[in-house]
Amino acid sequence: MQVTVIENVLKLNDEIAAMNRRTLRDAGVFAIDLIGGPGCGKTALLEATLRRLQGELTIGVAVGDLATTNDAQRLLRHSPHVIQINTGRSCHLDANQVRQAMNQLPLHELDVLVIENVGNLICPVGFDLGQDVKVGMFSVTDGDDKPVKHPPLTNASDVILLNKIDLAPYVDFERERFLAGVRQLNEKAPVLELAATKDQIDPWLQWVKESVAAPAM
Amino acid sequence: MQVTVIENVLKLNDEIAAMNRRTLRDAGVFAIDLIGGPGCGKTALLEATLRRLQGELTIGVAVGDLATTNDAQRLLRHSPHVIQINTGRSCHLDANQVRQAMNQLPLHELDVLVIENVGNLICPVGFDLGQDVKVGMFSVTDGDDKPVKHPPLTNASDVILLNKIDLAPYVDFERERFLAGVRQLNEKAPVLELAATKDQIDPWLQWVKESVAAPAM
């Protein structure tokens, strides 16, 4: 009985995700599902991204958190197209929540929609939102073992971000061990090394611009 | 239908948790559910704890991860009483998994059982495991906004740990904002500031020893 119910929930989610995907493609919006642990720097990355790409790409953001509108407030300084989704106790965004956010955004004006998922390396991976790509984000301060400890995310990511490389001198982090962990589970995804709060995000900006110009999926 | 099923799952979990609690109390074991995000330093804290309390308290650990036995291997250097639980895709430990681990530990020799939950600030909060206390763990590098962004954990914690205070000089972290966020949701829990990898864990060791001597719950 339980399995059937969960399958139905996932099936409904997948149907709405497929609708989202069609809507986004029809509007010419490249959609990114950004998944990372709490505090890995997702919002900091988006703040810098919105600021740096202003005038070049029009970017909307749907940002998920259990509570508070902190993240949306931070992002609204850099773009008017930001929707906060509060999930209460839910540990991930689902396709319907993203659809509600999409309904409040001027999709035809956007080049990119970034869906900043709830801070969590596990649950968000299983829910299709209608995105073009999944971006898995880790940080140096969270340790070099995180990719192998989170196979579903590492495996499902089209791109892997390693943030906070500016803090590497102060912690015990082996870059080669991190990269080997990624490659053990994902042969293809590029690994981009960033320091979002230091504005060192050029490889990411380049990847976003290239992806918008010629979506790979 | 979905609600009923989920209620049944939770009811079964609660029944097993109650069994665990009785078993642990009969054996005179103080049980801690340690909940924190991925990479906040849970295993580093336990490594230092096992080493520092050796000969003083006998501590068992049940450690949850989606994959790998990395954490158990790190902890086995300091205690023979370590069980790794691999949850596959599951984002939290449940009472039955803890019961299986308990069955493999010499409970009557233990003073303390630490259940290191899967790295996740959200899902573990809702599942009783039979613990005496819940310990919520945050880190300086994850940001001063995490308590207010995770009300269920902040609210449910008997103690709050703030780890990686040695890294405060290198990141944008306002201690007062963190503490105010905790107090907004939890009036009572002590907040212990630690640097686990620098062996600065004395407030925690003192709290553990006092709790074992006179469990508050």
Side-chain angles (χ1 to χ4, degrees), chain A residues 190-202:
Chain A
V191 177
L192 311 180
E193 303 183 25
L194 315 172
T197 61
K198 300 292 184 291
D199 210 26
Q200 295 170 27
I201 62 166
D202 287 3

Side-chain angles (χ1 to χ4, degrees), chain A residues 26-38:
Chain A
D26 288 349
V29 179
F30 180 70
I32 297 169
D33 183 6
L34 179 59
I35 302 176

